[in-house]
């Protein structure tokens, strides 16, 4: 980490957070929801208990640390918060104290310094918005890998190359004006430029309109981090895969990240972007990373990439019907009338929605309602196959087991595409998301 980067975060702890707000709200970064971590990072098999150790590398003002510590509080798991900035640590510690969190260890050091201390390895490492600010991001990733358990997982966020083009062009524009100015002077000049931004400026379009600029002007640390950072790099999808490979790791899955420029796994699925059947078939025949790279360029709106890394290659397995001993469950809960609505609208086209813009269309009925009700986190995939084969499908003189498996796979794919369903061991870690809820609407 360069001296300029150290000084930046001492002067402008990031992101801007008020510890007093911990009394009224809990920020829950999607990347660090332990149900997702378990599903994508550990194949649904990890016991998250008192032995579980998480590291937040470059913890900033504490978003990931607070969320992980809250989830691990009741089971006795622990979080190590690693951050070289004294100012950022002060904010993060105050937030944890406001919530009464006592399962956090604070370490003032860089990633490289911490790795050299050879700590006991961790089950899960969060490093969001950090590696792209290092002089050598690959070395930083290798340092993190050295403190990761052999079967551990990482949650990483780095800047996206194509969706961040407006920021890249802004930095090129302003770079000649930054010479011989200190950070406070650079900020004052940038605020003046943002206040008179032309309507056709790329930055304004990237942010979605004047509201984005208004928010920036009320948040100096955001301006500094977004537009004045002295060290940064960005990655396209292929760059992410190559970055992972530089530390002998694999991309297990792309996932969500909240805030401006938030992305989710659905953004990387060509079936959500391409409607033409022939073109979709052609694209689907390409390797997964090529499909995802197409989506990044086609959408043009991914300013960041959030993803899980593992030593074993889990990318294909995480999208397939889980193993027979795992239990699928609703990560996003159905609303109270969900199953009744599905029965009442039998034979009619309906939309299943989660309230955040994600939706799937289908024609359901009592049989689908009965099957979905069996996704209770207790029934394993093997149990669900038997239920579908013996209790729901009409018996025919053909291989009903194969039909049941294929039908179940199709249902899983439909509800897994937006993380509405995940899988774990029966009775394992199955904490649900509280921001979204599934409902049914007639088309």
């Amino acid at each position: 980490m360069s001296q300029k980067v150290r000084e930046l975060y001492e002067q402008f702890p990031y992101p801007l957070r008020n510890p007093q707000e911990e009394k009224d709200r809990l920020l829950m970064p999607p990347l660090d929801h332990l149900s997702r971590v378990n599903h994508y990072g550990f194949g649904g098999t990890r016991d998250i208990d008192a032995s579980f150790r998480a590291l937040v590398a470059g913890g900033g003002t504490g978003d990931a640390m607070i969320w992980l510590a809250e989830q691990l509080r009741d089971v006795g798991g622990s979080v190590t918060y690693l951050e070289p900035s004294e100012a950022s640590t002060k904010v993060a510690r105050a937030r944890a104290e406001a919530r009464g969190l006592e399962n956090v260890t604070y370490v003032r050091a860089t990633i490289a310094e911490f790795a050299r201390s050879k700590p006991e390895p961790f089950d899960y490492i969060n490093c969001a918005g950090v590696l792209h600010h290092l002089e050598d991001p690959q070395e930083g990733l290798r340092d993190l890998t050295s403190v990761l358990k052999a079967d551990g997982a990482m949650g990483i966020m780095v800047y996206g190359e194509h969706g961040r083009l407006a920021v890249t062009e802004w930095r090129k524009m302003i770079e000649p004006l930054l010479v011989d100015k200190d950070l406070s002077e650079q900020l004052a000049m940038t605020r003046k430029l943002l206040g008179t931004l032309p309507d056709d400026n790329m930055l304004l379009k990237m942010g979605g309109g004047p509201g984005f600029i208004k928010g920036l002007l009320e948040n100096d640390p955001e301006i500094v981090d977004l537009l004045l950072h002295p060290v940064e790099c960005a990655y396209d999808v292929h760059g992410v895969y190559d970055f992972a490979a530089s530390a002998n790791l694999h991309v297990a899955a792309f996932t969500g990240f909240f805030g401006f420029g938030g992305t989710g796994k659905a953004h990387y699925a060509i079936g959500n972007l391409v409607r033409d059947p022939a073109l979709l078939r052609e694209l689907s025949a390409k390797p997964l990373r090529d499909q995802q790279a197409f989506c990044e360029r086609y959408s043009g709106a991914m300013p960041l990439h959030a993803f899980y890394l593992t030593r074993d290659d889990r990318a294909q397995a995480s999208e397939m019907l889980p193993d027979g001993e795992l239990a699928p469950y609703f990560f996003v809960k159905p609303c109270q009338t969900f199953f009744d609505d599905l029965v009442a609208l039998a034979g009619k086209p309906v939309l299943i929605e989660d309230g955040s813009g994600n939706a799937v269309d289908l024609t359901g009925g009592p049989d689908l309602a009965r099957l979905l009700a069996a996704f209770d986190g207790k029934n394993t995939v093997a149990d669900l196959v038997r239920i579908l084969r013996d209790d729901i499908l009409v018996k025919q003189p053909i291989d009903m087991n194969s039909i049941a498996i294929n039908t179940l796979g199709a249902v899983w794919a439909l509800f897994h595409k937006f993380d509405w369903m995940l899988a774990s061991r029966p009775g394992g870690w199955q904490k649900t998301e509280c921001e979204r809820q599934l409902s049914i609407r007639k088309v």
Side-chain angles (χ1 to χ4, degrees), residues 62-312:
D63 285 0
M65 176 268 282
I66 293 291
W67 177 218
L68 286 169
E70 278 287 358
Q71 293 175 90
L72 292 170
R73 184 206 296 255
D74 292 339
V75 298
S78 63
V79 178
T80 296
Y81 163 91
L82 175 65
E83 172 59 54
S85 165
E86 182 178 2
S88 296
T89 301
K90 183 178 179 180
V91 175
R93 187 186 290 269
R95 292 177 66 188
E97 290 174 352
R99 305 192 72 86
L101 293 169
E102 299 179 350
N103 56 339
V104 180
T105 299
Y106 300 89
V107 179
R108 284 269 319 276
T110 65
I111 291 172
E113 292 165 349
F114 185 66
R116 285 196 294 270
S117 72
K118 299 188 182 304
E120 181 183 346
F122 295 87
D123 297 281
Y124 174 65
I125 297 176
N126 160 281
C127 190
V130 176
L131 292 170
H132 52 229
H133 289 316
L134 299 185
E135 296 286 355
D136 188 343
Q138 291 187 359
E139 182 180 2
L141 184 60
R142 288 192 293 268
D143 283 338
L144 291 178
T145 305
S146 73
V147 300
L148 181 71
K149 285 186 178 180
D151 60 348
M154 291 191 204
I156 305 292
M157 186 276 278
V158 295
Y159 290 149
E161 180 179 329
H162 297 286
R164 198 176 167 80
L165 183 60
V167 173
T168 303
E169 292 302 313
W170 177 280
R171 289 169 64 87
K172 290 178 182 177
M173 173 199 75
I174 204 172
E175 185 176 8
L177 303 177
L178 302 181
V179 180
D180 297 328
K181 291 184 176 68
D182 62 25
L183 190 54
S184 296
E185 293 170 327
Q186 294 176 14
L187 175 60
M189 179 187 64
T190 302
R191 291 180 62 85
K192 290 179 182 177
L193 291 171
L194 289 172
T196 57
L197 207 60
D199 292 342
D200 291 330
N201 184 272
M202 290 175 62
L203 191 65
L204 186 66
K205 294 179 179 179
M206 183 187 83
F212 169 63
I213 303 302
K214 181 177 183 294
L216 273 183
L217 292 172
E218 295 172 352
N219 190 332
D220 284 350
E222 194 70 46
I223 295 176
V224 171
D225 189 77
L226 182 69
L227 301 175
L228 294 172
H229 207 291
V231 179
E232 73 170 46
C233 61
Y235 299 82
D236 64 7
V237 163
H238 285 297
V240 167
Y241 278 91
D242 294 341
F243 183 46
S246 72
N248 294 317
L249 298 174
H250 297 273
V251 178
F254 287 93
T255 187
F257 197 84
F258 67 27
F260 165 70
T263 59
K265 63 172 283 191
H267 291 78
Y268 298 86
I270 56 174
N272 295 326
L273 294 177
V274 178
R275 302 302 181 189
D276 180 80
L279 184 56
L280 185 57
R281 283 194 299 272
E282 181 179 347
L283 289 168
S284 298
K286 295 184 178 297
L288 179 61
R289 61 186 289 174
D290 291 340
Q291 296 179 35
Q292 294 166 335
F294 174 89
C295 290
E296 179 185 18
R297 287 173 169 81
Y298 192 55
S299 72
M302 295 183 191
L304 56 87
H305 298 295
F307 48 92
Y308 297 112
L309 297 180
T310 55
R311 285 190 169 91
D312 296 331

Side-chain angles (χ1 to χ4, degrees), residues 24-47:
D24 304 315
R25 59 99 176 93
L26 171 64
L27 299 178
M28 297 175 282
L31 177 68
D32 300 305
H33 202 302
L34 288 176
S35 292
R36 277 198 180 94
V37 172
N38 187 29
H39 178 83
Y40 290 111
F42 302 113
T45 63
R46 179 53 53 94
D47 293 324

